Amino acid sequence: MQLIEGALLTDAVSSCASAWWCSSCSSLLCHPSLFLLQIQSSLILIGLGIAWLWASQSRIKETRRIRSAQKTGNPFAFVDVEMSRLSHDVQRQLPKVSVVLAVKGSIGDAGMDNWRSQLVTLYGGAVEYIFCVESEDDPAYFAVQSLQKEMKGVVDIRLVVAGLATACSQQIHNQLAGAKVASEESKYLLFLDDDIQCHPGTLGSLVKAMETRPEVFCCTGYSFDIPSTPSVSAYAAMAYRLPLLIGMSSGGPAFFVWGGCIMLRLADLRADRNGMASALQRNGYSNDLILTSVAGVHGCKVWCPPTAIFPGRMSGAWTFRRYWNYVRRQIFALTTYCSSYAYRTNHVGWFFYTYASLAVTIPLIPSTIHLLLFLLSLARSALLSSRPLLLQSGVTDVATIAALASSGLVGGGRPVVVDGRTLWWEWIVSRSFCATGLAFSLGHWACIGIAALLGMRLFHAVITLCNLLSPEKPQIRLSKLSLSLGVLGMLMNLALLPVIAVYTYLQPAITWAGIKYVRKSGLVAKVRHPTPQLAPPPIESRMVSQKLLDLESAAGGLIGDEFDGGCWSAPHEKRDWLVEVLARVPWSKGWAENMEMLCRSLPSIRMARSVSPKLKKSG
């Protein structure tokens, strides 16, 4: 049947070639198995979105309770919504709490602000703060001493040198050392991470939960990471932790323990109730997973108050390498275990997280390709819409035109004119394109958008509650967060998480805060600490140089002829030697202020306990 005029036949075939290619690729992406994968991925995304919606509702409910109490005459509702609990008689009867903070490394301004938020509390009972470091050459040692001076007479701060860990993680080692020296008068022990911002009423809400529910094994909370830089890697790290927030959002019973905030009864820990102290000491790596396992084995209840949510600013430059190491440390914890129960639960969590990430990521590939092909077809149709294909008069059989369109002879997004009547290119595209696959792809991406919007709703609910709980702090602005970076970060995390999980499972070692841990049979088998570096860096600060001149006479008085022996080949050698000597002088009255200033200016100098006998005698 001669339907197309001869002059237009070649043009028809060439104009439809790309449309036929798009149609063929689309048909390949319409296999029923791909549809099943897209359905599974969409269901996971919708389920995640519903869980985020539920988690946000509990935070919104608590926000409304606080605002309602403020409107009814309780201006301190952010501390406790029950006005009667704020009376002096009730507050002075609250039990004493020992707060243990395991700290390490250089502490910047943001870290000091977090420490102050943990020290300044509206809790009416007695509180002692125990900062634990691994050694005196840790930069955190001098930061804590500075804080002791700043808070002297206001807050009870103790500094404990725990020593180097050999059979467990350094964090657990420091925390147990702090628990050993805690006051006998303390009823509760609180382990806190040093990089979270607490609220004035945090301590009171945790104690209230423990006091009103004697059956509770421990109280916990959770941090809410907030990217401070527009980095996809930072948003990817945030996306990794966001689903875990669901387990802490019931406003009551929690699914697991978070190691950054754990309140226990001090007597229970010292009596090794349910074997929790033994489990921590016995080659433990992750305190939260160990205590979660202990609670699960013995049927103990874990509680998370709705106000126990702590904003944590993700400061610094978040590179891809930092994200990779961060997620590796989190996954490494799931590969450790202290019992058969922990082995099952941790590996189930590892498998579920890995499988869910794969189930969401793999169908994204055909969905994205399908949408790109569809957009390519639409773009081509728009370009060729002004060049119609004319069919011979009398051809009005729709089935014939559809057959020609599907075979690639006509159509391809160009309007077909029959007897002066135009068949719109949308109709031709819908017949020459896999409409079912396109619908599934559009639905899949719609589910991603819905999950992202519900995640942002959770963001808004948590940030609003945090601002309400800390009215004295600068308010966190949701406008600084980027929805597009959030979606990209979520997709990046989903795509890389299976790779990181498998790689971490196969690698028996991890480096955390400069310390290398080697895993064997679910426990920490080896702990390798870095070799201390005593060589001082060049001094460029005029203030430091002047301070060294001031200290030179004092050092000469202590060391004598050895200092002024005239054996220096260059002036800088005398200065560098002086720095190293000063770094080895024992701490004593009169030297603390100068040494603190010096070590703040030269943070890489490692303070050494091994000093020469002559210096010990002089000190």
Side-chain angles (χ1 to χ4, degrees):
M1 181 185 301
Q2 186 69 23
L3 293 178
I4 306 177
E5 298 178 2
L8 294 176
L9 180 58
T10 303
D11 181 59
V13 174
S14 61
S15 65
C16 296
S18 61
W20 175 85
W21 181 82
C22 291
S23 176
S24 300
C25 292
S26 175
S27 300
L28 292 176
L29 297 173
C30 291
H31 196 276
S33 61
L34 291 179
F35 291 161
L36 293 177
L37 291 176
Q38 288 174 326
I39 292 173
Q40 177 184 242
S41 177
S42 300
L43 291 176
I44 293 175
L45 289 168
I46 291 298
L48 181 62
I50 293 174
W52 280 339
L53 178 63
W54 171 79
S56 64
Q57 288 301 116
S58 66
R59 307 296 176 181
I60 293 173
K61 181 180 179 181
E62 186 64 22
T63 300
R64 290 172 178 171
R65 287 182 67 238
I66 295 174
R67 287 177 173 171
S68 176
Q70 289 176 337
K71 290 180 180 179
T72 56
N74 182 4
F76 292 96
F78 61 92
V79 178
D80 198 319
V81 293
E82 299 180 26
M83 191 73 170
S84 60
R85 292 185 58 86
L86 299 175
S87 65
H88 176 70
D89 292 337
V90 174
Q91 289 291 311
R92 68 186 180 90
Q93 295 178 3
L94 291 174
K96 185 174 182 178
V97 179
S98 295
V99 182
V100 176
L101 297 99
V103 298
K104 179 178 174 61
S106 300
I107 308 299
D109 293 338
M112 295 295 288
D113 289 341
N114 288 332
W115 285 3
R116 293 187 185 96
S117 73
Q118 295 164 352
L119 297 175
V120 179
T121 175
L122 294 181
Y123 180 70
V127 186
E128 67 168 353
Y129 293 88
I130 305 172
F131 286 81
C132 301
V133 297
E134 66 178 38
S135 63
E136 290 186 6
D137 61 349
D138 194 319
Y141 183 90
F142 311 108
V144 176
Q145 287 195 327
S146 174
L147 194 66
Q148 282 180 314
K149 293 180 181 180
E150 179 184 334
M151 298 288 185
K152 186 177 182 179
V154 179
V155 181
D156 180 14
I157 301 177
R158 300 167 65 185
L159 178 57
V160 175
V161 178
L164 301 180
T166 57
C168 62
S169 69
Q170 188 66 49
Q171 182 189 40
I172 292 178
H173 182 74
N174 289 8
Q175 289 175 340
L176 292 178
K180 287 181 181 179
V181 302
S183 172
E184 296 290 341
E185 300 175 357
S186 295
K187 184 177 182 180
Y188 297 108
L189 181 71
L190 175 61
F191 294 135
L192 272 182
D193 273 0
D194 66 331
D195 58 350
I196 60 172
Q197 175 185 312
C198 289
H199 310 294
T202 293
L203 206 53
S205 64
L206 294 173
V207 171
K208 178 182 177 181
M210 297 290 285
E211 288 284 283
T212 57
R213 299 172 181 84
E215 74 280 3
V216 170
F217 168 67
C218 72
C219 265
T220 188
Y222 202 66
S223 67
F224 187 76
D225 293 337
I226 302 175
S228 57
T229 56
S231 167
V232 178
S233 297
Y235 279 85
M238 176 202 69
Y240 173 83
R241 292 177 58 87
L242 198 56
L244 301 177
L245 183 61
I246 299 169
M248 296 289 187
S249 298
S250 68
F255 295 104
F256 57 91
V257 179
W258 179 58
C261 175
I262 305 175
M263 176 170 279
L264 300 163
R265 292 178 177 84
L266 182 58
D268 291 346
L269 183 65
R270 288 179 171 172
D272 197 16
R273 179 190 173 191
N274 298 327
M276 57 176 161
S278 301
L280 289 170
Q281 291 174 338
R282 189 177 63 249
N283 304 93
Y285 174 78
S286 174
N287 57 352
D288 43 16
L289 290 180
I290 291 174
L291 293 178
T292 300
S293 172
V294 170
V297 169
H298 298 279
C300 302
K301 185 178 292 186
V302 178
W303 201 265
C304 180
T307 55
I309 182 73
F310 314 109
R313 297 189 180 274
M314 305 171 68
S315 58
W318 272 85
T319 61
F320 176 80
R321 182 175 182 178
R322 185 178 179 183
Y323 159 78
W324 178 276
N325 292 334
Y326 172 79
V327 177
R328 273 210 68 205
R329 293 198 307 269
Q330 309 302 316
I331 297 297
F332 187 84
L334 291 176
T335 64
T336 61
Y337 50 89
C338 60
S339 63
S340 58
Y341 177 88
Y343 176 85
R344 293 192 300 270
T345 55
N346 292 359
H347 281 73
V348 166
W350 177 89
F351 175 79
F352 176 77
Y353 223 152
T354 304
Y355 178 81
S357 300
L358 282 173
V360 173
T361 305
I362 291 178
L364 278 176
I365 300 174
S367 296
T368 303
I369 294 175
H370 213 146
L371 288 179
L372 290 176
L373 290 175
F374 177 67
L375 293 176
L376 178 63
S377 178
L378 290 184
R380 184 182 179 281
S381 301
L383 291 174
L384 300 179
S385 59
S386 59
R387 299 172 57 193
L389 273 174
L390 301 177
L391 300 186
Q392 280 190 348
S393 178
V395 179
T396 59
D397 183 10
V398 175
T400 303
I401 299 174
L404 291 170
S406 62
S407 65
L409 291 179
V410 299
R414 296 174 63 180
V416 181
V417 179
V418 180
D419 286 339
R421 182 167 55 88
T422 303
L423 300 178
W424 296 105
W425 57 269
E426 292 90 348
W427 187 88
I428 297 297
V429 169
S430 67
R431 295 304 189 274
S432 60
F433 210 81
C434 181
T436 305
L438 179 61
F440 273 97
S441 299
L442 289 172
H444 191 197
W445 274 99
C447 291
I448 294 174
I450 293 173
L453 290 175
L454 293 176
M456 290 301 295
R457 177 183 171 86
L458 176 60
F459 255 89
H460 185 273
V462 171
I463 288 177
T464 302
L465 179 59
C466 288
N467 287 335
L468 193 60
L469 293 173
S470 295
E472 81 287 357
K473 292 286 183 181
Q475 300 294 282
I476 305 171
R477 295 181 181 179
L478 186 65
S479 59
K480 293 185 177 181
L481 299 175
S482 171
L483 178 60
S484 59
L485 285 178
V487 174
L488 290 176
M490 181 177 69
L491 295 178
M492 172 181 167
N493 179 66
L494 289 172
L496 293 177
L497 187 58
V499 180
I500 299 175
V502 174
Y503 177 78
T504 304
Y505 187 82
L506 297 176
Q507 286 288 332
I510 191 73
T511 300
W512 179 19
I515 304 174
K516 187 175 183 179
Y517 300 95
V518 181
R519 178 192 69 229
K520 185 178 181 181
S521 300
L523 299 174
V524 174
K526 295 181 182 178
V527 181
R528 298 173 182 171
H529 294 272
T531 303
Q533 301 293 330
L534 296 178
I539 302 174
E540 299 177 359
S541 170
R542 291 185 178 180
M543 179 183 65
V544 175
S545 299
Q546 182 61 42
K547 196 67 176 181
L548 284 174
L549 292 176
D550 296 338
L551 291 175
E552 183 174 334
S553 58
L558 280 178
I559 306 169
D561 296 337
E562 183 180 354
F563 183 78
D564 294 320
C567 58
W568 311 106
S569 59
H572 69 84
E573 290 186 4
K574 180 177 179 179
R575 180 191 61 188
D576 294 346
W577 183 85
L578 174 62
V579 171
E580 183 175 353
V581 169
L582 290 177
R584 294 174 179 270
V585 173
W587 286 86
S588 61
K589 187 175 181 180
W591 282 90
E593 180 181 358
N594 294 332
M595 290 301 299
E596 178 188 349
M597 181 269 165
L598 179 64
C599 293
R600 275 190 171 188
S601 304
L602 305 172
S604 63
I605 294 180
R606 307 288 301 223
M607 299 295 295
R609 290 291 292 172
S610 56
V611 298
S612 66
K614 186 173 183 179
L615 290 182
K616 283 185 178 180
K617 188 179 297 184
S618 300

